[in-house]
Amino acid sequence: MTAAEKVDDFGTPRRWTDLVAAPMDLVAIHYRRRLLRAARRTPVPDRVDYLRSLAADRTVLDIGVVDHSLANDRQERWLHGELATAARTCLGVDILADEIAVLRARGFNVRAIDITTERLEERFDIIVCGEVVEHVGNPGAIFNAVRELLLPAGRFVVTTPNPYALRRVVQHLRDRPHENVDHVTLISPWGIAEFAERAGLRLDTYRGVQYGRADGKAGHLRRPWLRRLLRIPPEAACETMIYELVLPR
């Protein structure tokens, strides 16, 4: 029996450990590949617009609302401001207490709290963690905390830089990386799926966010015929990834 047949014969496992003991076993690798292929979706042109669409008329928790500095909340596309406008209710949390106090004075529903160590009583339809996990030393703690905050049909939406964006790969190969110096880890779809399963969640869908103009420096990567010729996936043209995790049924 092949690795594919072994996975198919088992039904729908919740983790690769339901199938085999060794993570490099071909059965485990086939299981993860199949999950990711089923979860892949077409890239979207705008991260904030897509997250707004998910938040529309839902109860939302936004993790990491300060976005490093309060100067960012004056930007036209400040994520928390957009989510708060679209959602039925929106609670924002961050560990930066002084900045949270300022946002609260401006009328935002925000709290200074570390969700990995402190409790929230509410449960949410949508939990957004936008460009946060790459900054924290223990990303798994966020996934574990979210597991207890989701409503049964809820979604945990993680956005994070794409480690395999072709532009990023080329920069590193040329020894000229251009990264946020506060980043401590870049997580691939493979790793997000594992974080999810360790926390009792499941990766449902993922998609990239296209960067650059269609006629810009990286615009040629958007052309399907060229990607097919080079045998690279659509995410090669995506600087950021969006992952949607759910509770297993």
Side-chain angles (χ1 to χ4, degrees), residues 76-146:
E76 183 180 351
R77 303 286 285 167
W78 179 44
L79 177 59
H80 184 69
E82 296 287 332
L83 294 177
T85 300
R88 183 164 75 248
T89 66
C90 185
L91 170 64
V93 297
D94 205 294
I95 61 173
L96 300 176
D98 292 343
E99 288 83 350
I100 284 292
V102 173
L103 290 177
R104 188 182 299 114
R106 292 178 184 170
F108 289 100
N109 178 27
V110 292
R111 299 179 201 168
I113 188 172
D114 181 345
I115 65 161
T116 66
T117 59
E118 301 173 75
R119 289 183 57 83
L120 285 174
E121 298 302 324
E122 300 95 328
R123 298 295 178 267
F124 303 90
D125 296 316
I126 302 290
I127 299 178
V128 175
C129 188
E131 312 301 295
V132 172
V133 294
E134 64 273 13
H135 296 275
V136 300
N138 181 14
I142 296 177
F143 289 76
N144 290 334
V146 163

Side-chain angles (χ1 to χ4, degrees), residues 25-43:
D25 190 296
L26 286 178
V27 172
I29 291 171
H30 179 79
Y31 158 73
R32 183 59 53 78
R33 284 176 178 168
R34 189 179 72 166
L35 183 150
L36 293 179
R37 286 169 182 159
R40 174 181 274 149
R41 298 293 185 272
T42 302

Side-chain angles (χ1 to χ4, degrees), residues 169-183:
V169 172
V170 170
Q171 287 174 349
H172 282 269
L173 289 175
R174 295 178 63 192
D175 197 26
R176 296 194 54 131
H178 188 80
E179 296 284 351
N180 183 320
V181 296
D182 195 54
H183 288 175

